[in-house]
Amino acid sequence: MSGTLDHIKEKSAKRRKLLAMEMGLRKPADLSTVLGSQTSKLLSSAEAGNTQDIKSKDKQDGEELEKVEDPEANFTDSSRFLKGTQSDNPHNDYCQHFIDTGERPQNFIRDVGLANRFEEYPKLRELIRLKDELVQRTATPPMYQNCDMQTYDLTALQNQFDVILIEPPLQEYQASNGLVYEKYWSWSEISQLQIDKIASHRAFLWIWCGCEGLDEARECLRKWGFRRCEDICWIKTNHKCPGQNKNIGPEQVFQRTKEHCLMGIKGTVRRSTDGDFIHANVDIDLIISEEPAYGSKEKPVELFHMIEHFCLGRRRLHIFGRDSTIRNGWLTIGPEVTTSNFDADLFRSYFNRDPGPTTGCTDEIEVLRPKSPPPKNTDNVDNNSGNTRGRGFSRGFMRGGRGGRGTGRPPHTTGNRGGFQANNRGNFRGGY
């Protein structure tokens, strides 16, 4: 209530000040004297029979006062909202700014580039630098293969892969970004790819699915023996070409400024125990970069950095790649690769020599990288005294089920809740 009164008083003082300036007065306190004399003149004229003129003059004065009261009441753009705390509405309305100018709200997120993202975090910056150096030092020479993915047998690659990236030519891209392919693949055709036969026993898969193919991409992951574990979102800025999206489909409700890439996991991979294969929590699941020009097929190169930082496996495959995506440490295949240099035996030989199938890790990286906390209560468990409680034998051995309280059940006992059977390894299902 007091805030409302203060706001009314502030507006009243502002109105009196503006009115005094219009009447040529030095200070608003003189308004009472001047307005009092004018009122007496008006009353004398009323006595002379000019009542109608007084009413019309009062009405005119009232309209002038309304104009003086809020001179910014009518505005045509969002400039009033861009004044920050100096404005009557102290916040930045990026949605209104997008309507007025076509600049997307994500354009104003700072430090999204790879070069200056970790300027205020020296340890993370040093970690990224060391990992980039390690990836470059252990990368194999680029290999590539021109092939028709409809007829090509992926088992002809004669190799198993730790990392697989799929960039399918979807019809959605033609409708939204004007992308032109020789053939647009349906999700049923994509699911027929023999990914399960070329994936290693523990592997990761990334698949771009646009905005409309999330459910279909999940079905493909399941068919190939992967479980979805992350959804990487590409937020597209439009610094270079602000404006409204003209390609809006009949079923769209909002303008689409993002794209999804699902990540799947195969096998049992855990952050706490498989540090030789994955380094988790180095990057985030968000990419913010400029939207390519209309008709461009390019995806953000940051995804390659994210994959290489996360998975230490060196056997990497890019399906539906292009000449522009050929990269050290990767095998790139697809109909838009114009030449071929792939040799299955030579490719396999790269991983039979030092450093082997993984990049390895340096002592500096091991110290700096984020790590999962060790399992709790694993050192204080008395196997024979029955002092375990809450989660059967040990939290390190059982996950999801509760054993009997204080019964000291052995590791093979099934918990009463959760439905998981504990064992002495703790490998009930692959997670990461």
Side-chain angles (χ1 to χ4, degrees):
M1 185 65 181
S2 60
T4 305
L5 291 175
D6 293 340
H7 181 67
I8 294 173
K9 290 178 181 179
E10 183 181 353
K11 292 183 66 176
S12 177
K14 183 178 179 181
R15 182 168 62 250
R16 289 173 62 85
K17 183 177 180 180
L18 291 172
L19 185 58
M21 291 174 61
E22 287 192 358
M23 299 183 69
L25 301 177
R26 293 184 178 180
K27 51 187 178 179
D30 297 335
L31 280 174
S32 58
T33 304
V34 176
L35 292 177
S37 61
Q38 288 184 356
T39 303
S40 60
K41 292 179 181 179
L42 293 174
L43 289 175
S44 61
S45 62
E47 293 175 356
N50 295 328
T51 307
Q52 189 66 29
D53 294 339
I54 295 173
K55 291 181 179 180
S56 62
K57 187 171 180 61
D58 288 341
K59 182 178 180 181
Q60 183 178 359
D61 291 342
E63 292 176 353
E64 292 178 355
L65 287 174
E66 288 180 359
K67 293 180 181 178
V68 173
E69 178 179 355
D70 193 0
E72 294 181 348
N74 297 321
F75 52 90
T76 58
D77 57 25
S78 63
S79 60
R80 183 176 181 182
F81 295 97
L82 301 179
K83 298 177 183 177
T85 56
Q86 300 176 0
S87 145
D88 290 340
N89 190 10
H91 69 278
N92 295 325
D93 192 341
Y94 291 110
C95 294
Q96 181 63 44
H97 185 70
F98 170 68
I99 294 173
D100 296 336
T101 65
E103 291 187 79
R104 296 172 182 170
Q106 54 263 37
N107 290 4
F108 301 94
I109 301 176
R110 299 179 300 172
D111 300 332
V112 298
L114 291 173
N116 56 357
R117 179 176 302 169
F118 302 108
E119 284 298 323
E120 298 180 2
Y121 304 93
K123 289 185 178 180
L124 271 177
R125 185 174 67 245
E126 179 66 10
L127 173 62
I128 296 299
R129 185 188 68 81
L130 292 172
K131 288 192 72 69
D132 287 340
E133 289 180 355
L134 179 63
V135 169
Q136 293 175 9
R137 189 167 61 250
T138 59
T140 60
M143 282 197 169
Y144 35 92
Q145 174 78 43
N146 172 265
C147 58
D148 182 358
M149 297 305 303
Q150 286 185 285
T151 59
Y152 187 72
D153 184 4
L154 290 177
T155 59
L157 297 174
Q158 302 177 27
N159 281 277
Q160 300 285 303
F161 295 90
D162 308 309
V163 168
I164 302 173
L165 171 62
I166 304 177
E167 198 174 318
L170 302 174
Q171 184 70 40
E172 174 188 345
Y173 295 145
Q174 194 278 331
S176 60
N177 299 323
L179 271 60
V180 179
Y181 295 96
E182 283 189 14
K183 171 182 169 51
Y184 297 96
W185 282 55
S186 66
W187 282 106
S188 60
E189 293 173 319
I190 295 170
S191 66
Q192 298 304 315
L193 293 172
Q194 299 172 310
I195 303 298
D196 53 325
K197 295 184 179 180
I198 60 172
S200 180
H201 67 283
R202 57 176 185 175
F204 291 93
L205 183 144
W206 283 261
I207 179 168
W208 286 102
C209 52
C211 291
E212 301 175 356
L214 285 167
D215 293 336
E216 292 82 356
R218 290 188 180 96
E219 289 296 328
C220 290
L221 291 177
R222 279 192 285 268
K223 181 175 180 180
W224 296 331
F226 289 80
R227 300 177 304 282
R228 189 205 72 85
C229 57
E230 292 291 348
D231 180 357
I232 300 167
C233 191
W234 174 24
I235 306 296
K236 305 176 184 179
T237 60
N238 64 345
H239 292 284
K240 298 179 181 178
C241 187
Q244 311 292 335
N245 190 350
K246 304 299 189 297
N247 301 305
I248 300 178
E251 298 181 358
Q252 289 184 220
V253 178
F254 303 109
Q255 296 196 34
R256 292 175 176 173
T257 64
K258 63 179 176 61
E259 193 172 328
H260 296 270
C261 178
L262 292 187
M263 172 182 168
I265 178 177
K266 176 184 178 182
T268 301
V269 183
R270 299 185 184 280
R271 288 176 292 185
S272 58
T273 59
D274 294 307
D276 65 316
F277 192 63
I278 62 169
H279 284 176
N281 302 326
V282 176
D283 292 291
I284 62 174
D285 58 354
L286 193 66
I287 299 174
I288 303 176
S289 65
E290 186 72 7
E291 183 175 28
Y294 187 78
S296 173
K297 302 175 182 178
E298 299 304 316
K299 303 293 186 186
V301 69
E302 184 176 343
L303 183 65
F304 287 102
H305 293 278
M306 187 181 299
I307 294 172
E308 292 165 354
H309 291 166
F310 169 72
C311 184
L312 278 61
R314 298 171 63 218
R315 300 173 296 181
R316 309 184 188 105
L317 174 65
H318 185 189
I319 301 177
F320 293 109
R322 301 171 298 280
D323 288 343
S324 60
T325 63
I326 294 175
R327 183 179 177 88
N328 286 337
W330 289 76
L331 167 60
T332 305
I333 65 173
E336 297 191 17
V337 177
T338 56
T339 58
S340 302
N341 74 343
F342 175 67
D343 181 277
D345 295 331
L346 178 60
F347 184 77
R348 193 183 309 110
S349 69
Y350 290 144
F351 313 107
N352 295 329
R353 65 183 76 159
D354 189 67
T358 61
T359 63
C361 180
T362 64
D363 294 337
E364 294 86 350
I365 292 177
E366 187 65 25
V367 170
L368 291 173
R369 74 178 183 91
K371 304 177 185 65
S372 297
K376 298 180 180 179
N377 300 332
T378 56
D379 297 329
N380 300 322
V381 176
D382 185 356
N383 295 343
N384 300 319
S385 62
N387 290 330
T388 58
R389 53 182 300 184
R391 291 184 180 269
F393 177 69
S394 169
R395 292 184 64 181
F397 296 120
M398 172 161 293
R399 181 180 177 184
R402 287 181 177 268
R405 294 173 62 89
T407 59
R409 296 185 176 184
H412 62 272
T413 306
T414 302
N416 296 327
R417 291 175 53 189
F420 290 105
Q421 183 173 1
N423 54 46
N424 57 3
R425 294 174 301 168
N427 297 331
F428 315 109
R429 51 178 296 188
Y432 97 96

